[in-house]
């Protein structure tokens, strides 16, 4: 009671409208942080070009007509242009054979004017996704999905790291959340999202990847809900990457924890499409210390970290 009153007095002095607002989590503004990084990348690209190098070039491949893929790729192209990276989109019909797609990737691998190649996922079920990821030469694999890049990340060697994982770590670091020796839970174990996030949370901060030294638990679809709650309640950082709207509820979160919501699920509503995260945002923000919104959290970070990866690839390919 006394504490609440004290908080209320301090809150009024600091301009908060209510004690509730003061007690709520600080919102991690992914749009704002991504804008700052965008400026940093633009400056690096400019000095790269001033040093006499060729402008970096990114090629994005879309297979089929998935509307979400088109939105994601057009956002990537827009940000690429904003930071001074040349970007091109190649769209193939969903009926393209695996052989033809592999041939197109092979041509881009050989094209010396191209620094980065990404194949927007998902691709049609008729094509083997893993074989496509393996076809992009590791030096141009700006998504970091090739097993050579994933393997290097797991042994903490220099590699191209998947952009969403980089974005999550950057959000945590720029928010100055205390991570050394603390507990983290990643919900989701996919090879391109959950796993690389967990690798970066748990690895050595003195290593190449500049990771966070956290004691890290990976939970997945076979983690029973009661067990999931046990783990998340111990976590100082919870990263939700399951694609299950509202999975993380208030009673699953330790007071003051940092909650990063990677999940994006598109749902149709009467007023159009809406994006839902994996975190029950309204209730969890009452208990968390920091929280990312959806949209406006991890999403913009993924795009800008992809640009960082493209510049990194250009530095390697043009050296
Ligand atoms: N914000 C971004 O930039 C960004 C980037 C990539 C993916 N995403 C989103 O992140 C989410 C995950 O993407 P993905 O490609 O890894 O998906 P995925 O379907 O490949 O993997 C989902 C993972 O969640 C786990 N899972 C499912 N239900 C669970 C449950 N009830 N409890 C615990 N774990 C559960 C599964 O075991 C699996 O490992 C999706 O919503 C996707 O749209 C966002």
């Amino acid at each position: 009671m006394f504490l609440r009153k004290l908080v209320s007095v301090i809150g009024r002095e600091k301009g908060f409208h209510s004690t509730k607002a003061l007690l709520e989590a600080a919102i991690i503004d992914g749009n704002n942080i991504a804008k700052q990084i965008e400026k940093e990348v633009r400056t690096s690209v400019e000095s790269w070009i001033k040093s006499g190098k060729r402008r970096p070039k990114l090629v994005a491949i879309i297979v089929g007509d998935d509307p979400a893929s088109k939105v994601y790729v057009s956002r990537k192209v827009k940000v690429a242009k904003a930071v001074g990276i040349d970007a091109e989109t190649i769209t193939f019909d969903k009926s393209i054979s695996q052989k033809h797609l592999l041939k197109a990737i092979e041509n881009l691998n050989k094209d010396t004017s191209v620094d980065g190649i990404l194949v927007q996922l998902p691709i049609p079920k008729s094509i083997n996704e893993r074989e496509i990821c393996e076809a992009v030469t590791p030096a141009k694999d700006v998504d970091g999905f090739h097993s050579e890049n994933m393997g290097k990340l797991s042994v903490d060697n220099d590699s191209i790291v998947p952009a969403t994982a980089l974005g999550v770590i950057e959000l945590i670091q720029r928010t100055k959340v205390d991570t050394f020796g603390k507990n983290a839970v990643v919900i989701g174990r996919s090879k391109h999202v959950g796993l690389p996030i967990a690798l970066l949370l748990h690895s050595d901060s003195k290593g190449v990847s500049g990771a966070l030294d956290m004691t890290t638990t990976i939970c997945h679809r076979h983690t029973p809900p009661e067990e999931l709650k046990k783990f998340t309640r111990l976590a100082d950082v919870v990263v939700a990457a399951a694609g299950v709207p509202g999975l993380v509820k208030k009673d699953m979160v330790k007071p003051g924890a940092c909650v990063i919501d990677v999940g994006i699920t598109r749902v149709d509503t009467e007023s159009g499409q809406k994006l839902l995260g994996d975190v029950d945002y309204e209730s969890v923000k009452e208990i968390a210390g920091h929280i990312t919104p959806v949209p406006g959290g991890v999403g913009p970070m993924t795009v800008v970290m992809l640009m960082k990866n493209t510049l990194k690839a250009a530095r390697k390919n043009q050296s």
Side-chain angles (χ1 to χ4, degrees), residues 28 169 171-184 201 211-215 234-238 254 256-259 289-290:
I28 302 178
I169 300 307
L171 282 179
I172 296 170
Q173 285 179 323
R174 292 199 184 217
T175 311
K176 302 203 184 324
V177 171
D178 192 12
T179 52
F180 187 79
K182 303 278 183 187
N183 294 337
L201 290 170
L212 300 187
D213 278 311
M214 302 195 78
T215 306
L234 290 174
D236 303 289
V237 171
V238 175
K254 177 177 169 179
C258 172
V259 180
H290 292 87

Side-chain angles (χ1 to χ4, degrees), residues 179-238:
T179 52
F180 187 79
K182 303 278 183 187
N183 294 337
V185 166
V186 182
I187 310 175
R189 62 176 173 183
S190 72
K191 303 299 172 230
H192 54 292
V193 184
L195 179 64
I197 292 170
L199 289 170
L200 287 182
L201 290 170
H202 96 282
S203 289
D204 192 337
S205 54
K206 296 191 193 77
V208 174
S209 57
L212 300 187
D213 278 311
M214 302 195 78
T215 306
T216 304
T217 305
I218 302 177
C219 297
H220 49 76
R221 69 177 80 252
H222 303 304
T223 308
E226 279 313 307
E227 292 300 313
L228 177 64
K229 191 198 274 192
K230 273 190 212 163
F231 287 117
T232 55
R233 283 173 71 94
L234 290 174
D236 303 289
V237 171
V238 175

Side-chain angles (χ1 to χ4, degrees), residues 47-105:
S47 54
W48 171 250
I49 290 163
K50 271 192 197 130
S51 73
K53 303 290 188 182
R54 181 177 48 70
R55 191 172 289 283
K57 181 173 175 185
L58 171 68
V59 175
I61 296 176
I62 301 180
V63 185
D65 45 20
D66 176 37
S69 291
K70 286 184 190 164
V71 172
Y72 291 140
V73 168
S74 69
R75 216 170 277 158
K76 288 169 185 176
V77 169
K78 194 172 156 206
V79 176
K81 292 191 172 152
V83 299
I85 290 176
D86 281 339
E88 189 185 316
T89 308
I90 303 177
T91 306
F92 292 110
D93 191 82
K94 61 176 183 295
S95 64
I96 189 175
S97 68
Q98 174 148 338
K99 196 173 149 203
H100 277 96
L101 185 55
L102 288 171
K103 184 70 197 157
I105 294 171

Side-chain angles (χ1 to χ4, degrees), residues 113-188:
S113 73
V114 174
D115 299 293
I117 304 165
L118 74 87
V119 182
Q120 185 66 40
L121 301 179
I123 51 177
K125 297 259 178 293
S126 55
I127 298 173
N128 183 315
E129 192 174 289
R130 184 57 9 223
E131 276 188 37
I132 297 303
C133 292
E134 293 300 315
V136 177
T137 190
K140 297 188 181 185
D141 168 38
V142 285
D143 266 336
F145 296 163
H146 192 287
S147 56
E148 185 177 311
N149 280 317
M150 284 297 297
K152 283 183 173 172
L153 172 63
S154 19
V155 293
D156 203 10
N157 271 357
D158 189 28
S159 66
I160 302 183
V161 177
T164 302
L166 283 178
V168 167
I169 300 307
E170 199 78 30
L171 282 179
I172 296 170
Q173 285 179 323
R174 292 199 184 217
T175 311
K176 302 203 184 324
V177 171
D178 192 12
T179 52
F180 187 79
K182 303 278 183 187
N183 294 337
V185 166
V186 182
I187 310 175

